[in-house]
């Protein structure tokens, strides 16, 4: 230790000449850091992609063993995804035997005045219950946690027996974006019961007829 | 008089605080960043109102490009501690009677983005460093036709190795629905009935007045 001090003292005389510590020019370092920051900002994926969950009914491996679930025709709403972002729908059910006398499809679109209005009109009671419930939670009149809010809403959906049962079917030329759009619409309108189905041959025929003759029937219902 | 020196030079700015600040920002960015993976095909995901974020592990992602090719990825990039990726590759190798070396296994483990490699050319894909060759191997995606359904096999192996794995589908909005339907069909054949559709966030609002109309 002592030696070191002595050594320092010995050099002290020389050091006196440069009293100020040498000034380091930081500018290149700043430049470099700027570059790195810009690089990281550009490569960072800040907003993570979101997911939408969909659960499909289990595939029926043996149709003779299992009976198709019976649903009320009056509550059924069939939505058919057509080509070129076109969207068709018809209420109720069509029997296979009636293929010579198919009802015309109604055309609508993905806008808020199209399919959303149509679904909300049919789903009015449930949608209102859900929105009111949510409003009450937001305004603090009902105090529950986020998790139980979700489960309460799904309970409300489960208990509902007035809303439509929506069957979504895709014509072969539809695209994936339409499929996601229509599922999204189900979530927006709070439809309790909906599923995706394979399109039947007579429904394909209905879509083809509808494409051939530009729809006269509007969705003004 | 002679003591007063006119400042002929521009004043020297002390850059040290700036460097400090930049360091902090840089370290923050480095720690929080998740690098955007280069995907084998550009995919514009459709929009939805869903706000659930994508899970980081226990997922298999199917990338469906706009021209109808299928690519697949496990756990979205570098592996978790449980090392599922090499196990899945081993399982696949067993079924197609291909023996993978440790090096190839490691390459598969580290490969970050989705891949659409037919299993017969997997060895070639994992050993090469040439991006052009990689792209040419991937040009047709994973075969999904019924004669040689490798996608179904991948799903089977992935579920065998990791029973908790979930399926995510990341499709372009212009992907033909028939391709999506085929993939859904294959998944359902393997008893996967729950899917996560990867979407981008969009706002949609309905209000009470609208409903009451």
């Amino acid at each position: 230790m002592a030696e070191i001090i002595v050594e320092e003292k010995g050099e002290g005389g020389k050091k006196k000449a440069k009293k100020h510590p040498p000034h380091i020019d930081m500018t290149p370092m700043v430049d470099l850091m700027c570059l790195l920051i810009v690089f990281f900002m550009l490569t960072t994926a800040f907003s993570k992609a979101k997911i939408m969950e969909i659960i499909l009914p289990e595939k029926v491996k043996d149709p003779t063993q299992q009976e198709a679930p019976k649903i009320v025709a009056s509550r059924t709403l069939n939505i058919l995804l057509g080509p070129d972002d076109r969207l068709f729908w018809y209420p109720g059910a069509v029997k296979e035997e009636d293929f010579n006398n198919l009802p015309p499809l109604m055309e609508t679109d993905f806008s808020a005045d199209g399919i959303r209005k149509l679904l909300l009109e049919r789903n009015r009671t449930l949608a209102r219950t859900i929105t009111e419930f949510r409003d009450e939670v937001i305004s603090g009149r009902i105090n529950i946690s986020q998790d139980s809010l979700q489960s309460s809403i799904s309970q409300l959906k489960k208990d509902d027996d007035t809303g439509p049962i929506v069957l979504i079917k895709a014509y072969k030329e539809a695209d994936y974006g339409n499929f996601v759009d229509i599922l999204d619409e189900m979530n927006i309108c709070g439809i309790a019961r909906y599923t995706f189905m394979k399109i039947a041959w007579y429904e394909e025929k209905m879509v083809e007829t509808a494409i051939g003759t530009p729809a006269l029937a509007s969705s003004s219902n | 008089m002679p003591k007063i020196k006119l400042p002929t030079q521009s004043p020297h700015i002390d850059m040290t605080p700036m460097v400090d600040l930049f360091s902090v920002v840089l370290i923050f960015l480095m720690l929080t960043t998740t690098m955007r993976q280069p995907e084998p095909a550009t995919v514009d995901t459709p929009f939805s109102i869903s706000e659930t974020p994508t899970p980081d592990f226990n997922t298999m992602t199917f990338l469906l490009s706009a021209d109808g090719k299928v690519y697949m990825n496990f756990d979205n990039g570098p592996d978790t501690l449980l090392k599922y990726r090499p196990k899945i590759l081993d399982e696949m190798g067993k079924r197609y009677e291909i023996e993978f070396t440790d090096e190839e296994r490691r390459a598969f483990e580290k490969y970050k983005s989705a891949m659409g490699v037919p299993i017969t050319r997997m060895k070639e894909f994992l050993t090469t460093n040439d991006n052009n060759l990689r792209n040419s191997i991937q040009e047709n995606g994973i075969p999904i036709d019924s004669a040689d359904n490798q996608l179904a096999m991948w799903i089977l192996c992935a579920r065998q190795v990791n029973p908790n794995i979930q399926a995510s589908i990341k499709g372009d909005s212009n992907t033909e629905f028939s391709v999506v339907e085929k993939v859904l069909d294959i998944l359902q054949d393997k008893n996967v009935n729950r899917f996560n559709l990867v979407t981008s966030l969009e706002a949609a609002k309905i209000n009470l007045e609208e409903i009451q109309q």
Side-chain angles (χ1 to χ4, degrees):
Chain A
M1 282 290 266
E3 274 178 346
I4 296 168
I5 292 167
V6 169
E7 230 177 309
E8 272 187 5
K9 268 182 182 170
E11 274 182 333
K14 274 181 189 173
K15 268 190 180 169
K16 261 185 183 171
K18 30 178 181 175
K19 231 178 184 177
H20 304 285
H23 198 97
I24 304 165
D25 189 11
M26 292 284 190
T27 326
M29 193 165 169
V30 172
D31 291 355
L32 179 74
M33 286 206 163
C34 266
L35 269 179
L36 282 175
I37 287 177
V38 169
F39 168 75
F40 273 104
M41 295 246 260
L42 292 182
T43 50
T44 303
F46 264 120
S47 58
K48 249 183 129 186
K50 308 287 181 210
I51 51 166
M52 182 164 68
E53 204 170 43
I54 168 178
I55 302 168
L56 296 183
E58 212 161 292
K59 209 174 185 180
V60 183
K61 297 239 157 88
D62 186 2
T64 52
Q65 290 285 309
Q66 223 170 337
E67 220 172 292
K70 288 197 169 62
I71 49 174
V72 196
S74 61
R75 279 175 66 194
T76 313
L77 186 71
N78 298 270
I79 296 181
L80 303 163
L81 307 173
D84 306 325
D85 295 340
R86 289 173 77 176
L87 191 63
F88 303 97
W89 66 280
Y90 71 94
V94 173
K95 286 197 184 69
E96 202 176 336
E97 299 88 75
D98 299 337
F99 63 89
N100 275 323
N101 186 22
L102 292 169
L105 286 176
M106 266 132 325
E107 183 163 6
T108 178
D109 53 42
F110 285 101
S111 69
D113 280 334
I115 189 71
R116 194 173 302 168
K117 201 173 162 200
L118 181 84
L119 288 169
L120 279 177
E121 257 164 25
R122 273 145 214 272
N123 201 32
R124 197 174 295 150
T125 334
L126 180 61
R128 193 182 297 161
T129 329
I130 291 178
T131 322
E132 273 170 1
F133 184 73
R134 216 175 250 151
D135 277 355
E136 272 177 36
V137 173
I138 290 168
S139 62
R141 262 168 287 168
I142 303 176
N143 195 5
I144 52 169
S145 72
Q146 193 65 36
D147 286 346
S148 40
L149 172 68
Q150 286 308 322
S151 62
S152 314
I153 287 176
S154 54
Q155 188 61 42
L156 282 177
K157 282 187 182 174
K158 207 183 272 176
D159 293 342
D160 167 75
D161 54 3
T162 53
I165 301 167
V166 181
L167 308 177
I168 303 162
K169 294 150 195 188
Y171 184 66
K172 56 194 172 213
E173 281 166 44
D175 66 28
Y176 175 69
N178 294 347
F179 178 61
V180 172
D181 281 346
I182 200 76
L183 289 180
D184 196 35
E185 219 55 59
M186 297 295 138
N187 288 334
I188 292 172
C189 302
I191 304 286
R193 292 177 175 79
Y194 63 89
T195 191
F196 168 72
M197 285 173 74
K198 276 225 163 73
I199 193 164
W201 64 269
Y202 49 88
E203 282 165 334
E204 271 183 0
K205 209 172 140 189
M206 285 160 81
V207 175
E208 273 150 27
T209 330
I211 299 167
T213 55
L216 298 168
S218 70
S219 62
S220 57
N221 184 9
Chain B
M1 276 295 279
K3 276 183 184 173
I4 300 167
K5 262 189 184 173
L6 285 170
T8 44
Q9 281 180 324
S10 61
H12 198 96
I13 303 165
D14 189 11
M15 291 283 189
T16 330
M18 195 167 171
V19 172
D20 291 353
L21 177 73
F22 276 19
S23 303
V24 170
V25 175
L26 192 63
I27 289 170
F28 166 76
L29 284 174
M30 277 168 88
L31 292 183
T32 53
T33 200
T34 43
M35 289 287 182
R36 203 177 282 163
Q37 305 303 342
E39 299 282 11
T42 352
V43 162
D44 288 329
T45 50
F47 292 95
S48 83
I49 56 155
S50 172
E51 285 176 18
T52 332
T54 36
D56 278 330
F57 41 86
N58 285 347
T59 56
M60 44 182 175
T61 311
F62 303 94
L63 192 75
L64 311 175
S65 72
D67 47 3
K69 288 170 206 158
V70 182
Y71 304 89
M72 201 174 174
N73 192 6
F74 303 96
D75 281 354
N76 299 329
D79 214 351
T80 47
L81 280 176
L82 292 158
K83 308 256 176 230
Y84 287 130
R85 286 170 73 99
K87 283 185 203 156
I88 294 171
L89 184 68
D90 274 347
E91 199 63 42
M92 242 350 236
K94 243 184 257 169
R95 281 158 207 270
Y96 286 91
E97 290 166 356
I98 301 168
E99 190 87 30
F100 290 102
T101 63
D102 277 345
E103 211 166 292
E104 283 156 0
R105 233 172 276 153
R106 223 168 297 129
F108 185 78
E109 198 186 320
K110 290 211 180 99
Y111 195 74
K112 279 179 186 157
S113 64
M115 46 173 102
V117 188
I119 192 73
T120 41
R121 299 190 71 184
M122 183 58 98
K123 252 180 175 325
E124 198 185 334
F125 181 82
L126 291 176
T127 41
T128 182
N129 275 324
D130 180 10
N131 266 335
N132 289 333
L133 181 62
R134 283 194 165 161
N135 288 341
S136 79
I137 292 174
Q138 295 199 84
E139 69 185 350
N140 288 322
I142 299 175
I144 56 165
D145 45 338
S146 50
D148 180 22
N149 198 338
Q150 289 178 13
L151 187 73
M153 210 47 107
W154 278 111
I155 297 163
L156 196 71
C157 295
R159 295 197 75 208
Q160 211 166 10
V161 173
N162 179 3
N164 295 325
I165 207 159
Q166 286 184 352
S168 300
I169 293 172
K170 187 176 182 181
D172 193 283
S173 7
N174 292 323
T175 311
E176 265 194 39
F177 192 74
S178 52
V179 182
V180 184
E181 202 171 18
K182 210 167 182 181
V183 172
L184 287 181
D185 208 46
I186 293 169
L187 277 159
Q188 287 213 292
D189 269 338
K190 299 280 168 258
N191 288 323
V192 183
N193 290 316
R194 181 186 281 258
F195 313 99
N196 299 325
L197 306 179
V198 178
T199 56
S200 313
L201 190 61
E202 143 193 88
K205 241 194 158 171
I206 50 167
N207 44 28
L208 270 179
E209 293 86 69
E210 208 173 300
I211 301 167
Q212 275 157 351
Q213 267 172 22

